[in-house]
Amino acid sequence: QGQLVESGGGLVQPGGSLRLSCAASGISLDAYSILWFRQAPGKEREIISCIGRGDGPAYIPDSVKGRITISKDNAKNTVYLQMNSLKPEDTAVYHCATEFHGFYYCSAYELKDYPYWGQGTQVTVSS
C-alpha cells in the first residue's frame, strides 16, 4: 500500500523560505495528482496547491499565488512545495495528499477527492 511522507517543515522567520517535500513509496506520484493543504489550529483546512498526473497543470490559489511553487521530481518520486516570503499566518501543519483516479486537472477537485494523506509537517513562522 502506498505511503506519503512529508518533510522540510520547521521554524522560520517572517520573510523566510522553506521547501517542503512529499515523498511517496509504493505508488508512482507521476500516475496521480498530488495536493498540498494546510491546517492551522482553529481554522479550516486550506488547499494551497496541487499538480496533475503526468504533465498535468499545477494550480495555485490566489491566496498564496506568487509565494508558492509546486514541482515534481519523477526520478525521486517526490513532489516539492517551495514557499517564499513566509508570513506568521502561514503557520500550520502542511499535508500532501493523493488519489487513485489519476486526475489531470487537479483544480477541478476538492480535498474530499484526495483520501490518502501523509502525516504532515509543522511550519511555524515567527520572529
Side-chain angles (χ1 to χ4, degrees), residues 46-65:
E46 178 188 10
I47 294 172
I48 55 172
S49 186
C50 68
I51 189 166
R53 65 164 171 80
D55 62 352
Y59 164 72
I60 308 291
D62 289 342
S63 60
V64 294
K65 191 168 290 183

Side-chain angles (χ1 to χ4, degrees), residues 47-125:
I47 294 172
I48 55 172
S49 186
C50 68
I51 189 166
R53 65 164 171 80
D55 62 352
Y59 164 72
I60 308 291
D62 289 342
S63 60
V64 294
K65 191 168 290 183
R67 300 194 297 121
I68 281 182
T69 304
I70 188 170
S71 61
K72 184 163 54 174
D73 186 333
N74 292 330
K76 295 183 178 180
N77 210 24
T78 299
V79 172
Y80 301 101
L81 190 72
Q82 178 69 42
M83 305 191 296
N84 302 320
S85 303
L86 285 163
K87 307 174 183 179
E89 51 263 43
D90 293 317
T91 296
V93 178
Y94 286 68
H95 296 264
C96 61
T98 192
E99 41 77 23
F100 283 157
H101 297 279
F103 300 150
Y104 187 78
Y105 294 104
C106 61
S107 62
Y109 299 93
E110 300 175 359
L111 181 55
K112 65 178 178 62
D113 298 312
Y114 289 79
Y116 306 101
W117 302 358
Q119 84 289 348
T121 186
Q122 175 71 46
V123 171
T124 302
V125 185

